[in-house]
Amino acid sequence: MLKIAVCEDEKDQRELIKDYLTKILDEINLSYEIITFSSGEELFDNYPNDVDIFVLDILMDEINGMDIARKVRKIDDKNAEIIFTTSLVDYIQEGYEVRAYRYLLKPLKYEDLKKHITSCINETTDKNKYILVDNKSDALKIKVNEITYIEIKNRDLTIYTTRGNYQIKSTMNKIEKSLESHNFYRCHKSFLVNMEYIDNIKQYTAKLENKEEIPISRHRFKDFKIKFFRSMGEKLC
């Protein structure tokens, strides 16, 4: 069952979002639960477990949507997606910090919400996807969204994840192919990076959220930069 939490302090907007979501989810024939909150305080006093998507208004009294998102990330760092609704675009950099999936500008339009909530649902489903890799006599099952980057030295390939690192014998081309439908980029002949974990880029270097730095080859830097900014821009709708 899909679970969506809506936090919006304006009653009319809160009811509008719930009505829109109900219509969208009925159309795509999903089993779902929509929970609504009128403030951040109410949300954290009754914090719901296993939420797939948070829809948060940014401008609220006391605890605003951005502060809610930061707290959500401390509780559920990767599994929940966050969609902001706002009449301002000033928070896009902060939204990147909390890995916001999208910004939806007010007044909210049904077709915009439908397009992006459907896309978000598809990506939420993708988060449960794994890759299987051979490790000597064992087969490793690694969750794709937990992979931060992959490095190869000769035929020794290391998969770096949020849960630990795995060393296997393979080729970069082989593992790159297994991840081609996900948001990875071959930024260097020896590195394949998950774009979701990049905090910022500078000349020939990508800095990850965990402060590690990944080299970007000179001839790939332009394309990498385009992909990075496109990834950021797609979050603002």
Side-chain angles (χ1 to χ4, degrees), residues 100-146:
Y101 181 77
R102 290 291 186 274
Y103 283 80
L104 298 182
L105 298 180
K106 292 181 177 181
L108 199 61
K109 297 178 181 178
Y110 173 78
E111 289 303 324
D112 287 342
L113 181 61
K114 180 178 180 180
K115 174 183 175 182
H116 297 297
I117 205 74
T118 302
S119 174
C120 189
I121 290 168
N122 290 337
E123 292 198 21
T124 299
T125 302
D126 284 346
K127 284 188 173 183
N128 294 319
K129 291 185 177 179
Y130 295 82
I131 57 169
L132 289 173
V133 294
D134 293 327
N135 183 29
K136 298 180 180 178
S137 59
D138 301 323
L140 296 176
K141 184 179 179 182
I142 302 175
K143 208 169 184 179
V144 170
N145 76 302
E146 292 178 351

Side-chain angles (χ1 to χ4, degrees), residues 152-211:
I152 192 163
K153 294 179 181 178
N154 298 320
R155 283 183 59 85
D156 294 321
L157 191 145
T158 303
I159 301 172
Y160 295 86
T161 82
T162 56
R163 294 179 181 269
N165 305 329
Y166 304 90
Q167 291 186 330
I168 63 173
K169 293 287 186 182
S170 186
T171 67
M172 186 64 90
N173 288 341
K174 182 177 179 180
I175 199 159
E176 182 180 14
K177 186 173 182 180
S178 70
L179 293 167
E180 63 185 358
S181 62
H182 301 277
N183 196 18
F184 285 76
Y185 188 86
R186 184 81 170 270
C187 59
H188 186 281
K189 67 178 182 180
S190 300
F191 289 86
L192 180 68
V193 64
N194 187 341
M195 301 296 290
E196 298 296 325
Y197 287 91
I198 297 174
D199 184 56
N200 60 72
I201 60 174
K202 55 186 179 181
Q203 195 76 342
Y204 311 127
T205 305
K207 187 174 182 180
L208 305 187
E209 293 170 354
N210 62 7
K211 310 304 180 185

Side-chain angles (χ1 to χ4, degrees), residues 66 89-98 103 199-200 232:
M66 196 61 66
V89 296
D90 299 351
Y91 292 88
I92 185 167
Q93 185 60 44
E94 291 181 75
Y96 192 70
E97 170 196 334
V98 296
Y103 283 80
D199 184 56
N200 60 72
M232 285 187 67

